[in-house]
Amino acid sequence: MDDFELIIDTADIESIRKCDEILDVQGVTTNPTIITKTGKPAEQAIGDLVEYLRPDQKLFVQVVATDLDGIMSEARRIARLRPENTYAKIPVTHAGLRAIKQCRREGIGTLATAIYSSDAAFMAAHNGADYLAAYVNRMCNYGDGVQDVVDLIDMLAIQGSRSKLLAASFKNVDQAHKLILAGAQALTLPPDVALAMVGHPGTQIAVDEFSANWRKAYDRDTLFG
Ligand code: E4P
């Protein structure tokens, strides 16, 4: 078993279930926008995730408050949602960076998020974040987002950081492919991108051809008669 973590970037239970059935999914990330997209009251959307996930699957819930006290209060509540494998997702604002340090002191797991530069990610790692959500696609609006995150992988390795990159904000398979190749330890992918990675039409065409040839020769659809 490798250490790579595949996280699904949605709060839609049916999409999570579909990915979970086909792929080996280690958890789910949300953000405020993702929660609103469920169309459910926030408490219900979060409760449904808590109910759905296995204890070994990770849940990352983002804080909404933007001041230190508010972030800490929400982070403590997030940590109490489940006995383990639950992380407060905290944007790397100045207040957020302070909160990440405080969470480390209190033993609350964190995912530093809304990361637009390898430097901010590195500092969040130094503050004690467990995971770093670098926003790959959004970073592409300001330069070469993929390369910036590849740099981050090197920075974390060179400095022996214990924080884990959880690359986020993916819009296509190519971005995911390049970061896996560069050694990203975890990706959070929207369900459509995760499923597109295993959705090449050639596979089904090949299977249909094998089935047709087999049926023609042996007049059945199974290996053994
Ligand atoms: C997940 O942790 C992030 O919030 C998410 O990937 C951001 O994605 P977006 O850039 O599509 O909003």
Side-chain angles (χ1 to χ4, degrees), residues 203-213 215:
T203 303
Q204 192 58 51
I205 292 168
V207 169
D208 290 345
E209 184 188 308
F210 295 140
S211 299
N213 289 338
R215 202 173 304 121

Side-chain angles (χ1 to χ4, degrees), residues 24-25 29 36 43 75 90-91 97 107 110 112 125 130 132 151 165-166 169 175-176 181 183-184 198-200 213-214:
D24 186 13
V25 172
T29 42
T36 63
E43 291 76 5
I90 303 177
L97 288 164
T110 55
D130 295 283
L132 308 165
D151 286 351
L165 169 65
L166 171 45
S169 180
Q175 292 167 336
L181 191 57
V198 291
H200 197 293
N213 289 338
W214 190 266

Side-chain angles (χ1 to χ4, degrees), residues 140-173:
C140 290
N141 291 324
Y142 301 90
D144 187 342
V146 171
Q147 186 56 50
D148 287 346
V149 180
V150 171
D151 286 351
L152 174 59
I153 292 170
D154 290 345
M155 288 163 82
L156 296 172
I158 288 165
Q159 293 294 337
S161 174
R162 58 170 281 283
S163 302
K164 203 164 180 179
L165 169 65
L166 171 45
S169 180
F170 286 96
K171 287 294 165 282
N172 58 59
V173 170

